[in-house]
């Protein structure tokens, strides 16, 4: 079975009534402005941009107006998320939420918004696995050598795109499970963290497969493990963390789209319909599937449940590692 077919079979599709409705959902009023704005609460050039632009471009035709990407980085997703929380609930503003956007609600005692109260989930999109990456110039050629380095007197130095990001928590959790030590170097986004890794200034980073694959193919980084449930066709020689003895170590960079609270249900349903059709488009499946993306379409209730479970899961890691917000 081809990677595309394997990828396609992972799709969890909403009920036919939700996705293919030709009734009130398609007739619902659209955004009254010239375009729908999708706010990415991270720096430009990241995986959120890639996913947002691909799906936004494809969904624009179905929605009858363009989907424009706007990056509002800062505060580990807080600034961009707050902007959507305060936006008019008319269908003109969408938030691209990541796992880090949930983690920050546990990491910080006070936030200007509440994810459960101030947002209406549109849908869950899916996720990219993460990979354990080291510089190509590194002396760490295997997972066994990484373990030895983590357990050494000096431990290792690892990068992240900011305190509380998935790359930070994934590395911190792994190091703790290995009963080792590590020095965390937070950067202003994954792009800066990757540059530090390429310069051999840090020994470890957990990027997504979308970020890692081009660098691996260019011979700039070495991949020691992947957090996917099974080996990827695009990374056949990279073992899963389960194969390496860590069956429960499966962090993913997942995405969901949210609207401001009180956005009309008819508008939410129409947007869900349009973005679902975008994900199911064969050209989108092929493009994202080649980067390791697994689509898992979730309805509003499932997104709410995911946010709750992820907050509990990573809240435990934050507590165990005594991680504090840098802001």
């Amino acid at each position: 079975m081809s990677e595309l077919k394997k990828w396609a079979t992972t799709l969890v599709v909403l009920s036919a009534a939700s996705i293919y409705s030709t009734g009130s959902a398609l007739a619902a009023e659209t955004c009254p402005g010239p375009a729908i704005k999708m706010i990415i609460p991270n720096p430009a050039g990241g995986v959120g941009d890639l996913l947002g632009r691909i799906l936004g471009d494809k969904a624009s035709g179905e929605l009858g107006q363009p989907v424009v990407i706007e990056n509002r980085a800062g505060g580990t997703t807080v600034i961009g998320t707050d902007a959507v929380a305060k936006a008019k609930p008319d269908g003109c503003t969408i938030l691209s939420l990541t796992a880090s956007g949930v983690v920050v609600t546990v990491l910080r005692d006070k936030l200007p918004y509440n994810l459960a109260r101030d947002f209406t989930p549109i849908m869950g999109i899916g996720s990219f696995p993460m990979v354990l990456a080291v510089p190509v110039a590194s002396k760490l050629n295997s997972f066994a050598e990484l373990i030895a380095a983590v357990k050494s007197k000096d431990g290792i130095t690892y990068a992240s795109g900011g305190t509380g990001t998935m790359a930070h928590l994934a590395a911190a959790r792994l190091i703790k499970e290995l009963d080792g030590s590590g020095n965390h170097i937070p950067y202003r986004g994954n792009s800066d963290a990757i540059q530090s890794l390429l310069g051999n200034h840090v020994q470890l980073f957990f990027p997504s497969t979308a970020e890692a694959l081009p660098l691996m193919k260019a011979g700039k980084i070495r991949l020691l493990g992947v957090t996917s449930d099974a080996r990827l066709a695009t990374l056949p020689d990279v073992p899963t963390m389960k194969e390496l003895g860590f069956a429960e170590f499966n962090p993913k960079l997942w995405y969901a789209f949210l609207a401001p609270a009180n956005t009309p249900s008819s508008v939410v349903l129409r947007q869900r319909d349009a973005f679902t059709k975008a994900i199911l488009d064969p050209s989108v499946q092929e493009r994202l599937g080649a980067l390791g993306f697994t689509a898992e379409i979730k309805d509003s209730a499932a997104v709410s449940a995911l946010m709750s479970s992820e907050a509990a899961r990573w809240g435990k890691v934050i507590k165990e590692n005594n991680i504090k917000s840098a802001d």
Side-chain angles (χ1 to χ4, degrees):
M1 183 183 291
S2 69
E3 177 66 14
L4 175 57
K5 289 182 179 180
K6 289 180 181 178
W7 182 85
T9 59
T10 65
L11 292 172
V12 179
V13 184
L14 296 171
S15 66
S18 295
I19 297 177
Y20 296 109
S21 170
T22 57
S24 61
L26 294 181
E29 76 171 90
T30 186
C31 160
I36 296 172
K37 180 167 57 180
M38 181 185 293
I39 291 184
I40 309 290
N42 299 104
V47 181
D49 276 4
L50 174 69
L51 187 63
R53 292 180 194 283
I54 290 175
L55 296 182
D57 287 347
K58 187 61 65 173
S60 291
E62 188 72 22
L63 291 167
Q65 58 192 143
V67 177
V68 178
I69 303 300
E70 180 178 318
N71 294 91
R72 290 201 190 183
T76 314
T77 76
V78 172
I79 291 177
T81 304
D82 188 44
V84 179
K86 292 179 170 56
K88 189 174 181 179
D90 57 2
C92 293
T93 310
I94 294 173
L95 172 69
S96 177
L97 178 77
T98 68
S100 295
V102 171
V103 170
V104 75
T105 66
V106 181
L107 191 61
R108 292 192 181 190
D109 293 329
K110 295 182 180 180
L111 288 173
Y113 54 83
N114 180 290
L115 284 180
R117 181 192 65 219
D118 297 325
F119 293 90
T120 296
I122 299 172
M123 64 187 297
I125 303 299
S127 63
F128 290 97
M130 302 178 76
V131 286
L132 196 167
V134 299
V136 72
S138 170
K139 295 180 180 180
L140 304 177
N141 295 296
S142 67
F143 189 70
E145 291 179 347
L146 174 68
I147 293 176
V150 168
K151 290 178 172 289
S152 68
K153 179 182 177 181
D154 296 328
I156 65 167
T157 298
Y158 64 96
S160 81
T163 300
T165 58
M166 291 307 297
H168 177 198
L169 299 186
R173 178 183 170 187
L174 179 62
I175 291 169
K176 187 171 183 63
E177 289 194 20
L178 292 174
D179 195 25
S181 61
N183 179 34
H184 174 225
I185 307 296
Y187 290 89
R188 294 176 62 86
N190 278 8
S191 295
D192 289 346
I194 287 172
Q195 289 305 311
S196 181
L197 186 75
L198 297 181
N200 203 25
H201 302 304
V202 294
Q203 295 168 278
L204 171 67
F205 178 51
F206 267 99
S208 68
T209 50
E211 295 163 312
L213 276 164
L215 298 173
M216 185 274 293
K217 292 178 180 179
K220 295 182 178 181
I221 59 174
R222 185 180 301 121
L223 306 182
L224 305 183
V226 61
T227 68
S228 53
D229 297 330
R231 290 202 186 196
L232 301 178
T234 48
L235 296 172
D237 298 324
V238 180
T240 65
M241 295 304 295
K242 182 177 181 179
E243 290 178 84
L244 294 171
F246 296 85
E248 302 302 319
F249 188 87
N250 58 352
K252 306 264 192 328
L253 194 63
W254 58 261
Y255 288 85
F257 291 160
L258 309 184
N262 301 315
T263 298
S265 59
S266 58
V267 174
V268 171
L269 184 57
R270 182 175 185 184
Q271 291 177 344
R272 184 187 305 164
D273 176 271
F275 282 110
T276 297
K277 288 179 179 178
I279 294 173
L280 293 175
D281 184 271
S283 65
V284 172
Q285 291 185 24
E286 183 172 10
R287 185 174 179 184
L288 292 178
L291 295 174
F293 185 78
T294 297
E296 188 174 2
I297 302 170
K298 298 179 182 292
D299 62 15
S300 298
V303 173
S304 295
L306 174 65
M307 292 192 295
S308 179
S309 64
E310 284 286 272
R313 176 189 189 189
W314 295 109
K316 181 180 179 181
V317 174
I318 289 170
K319 183 176 180 180
E320 290 177 344
N321 290 275
N322 195 30
I323 296 173
K324 305 294 183 182
S325 174
D327 298 301

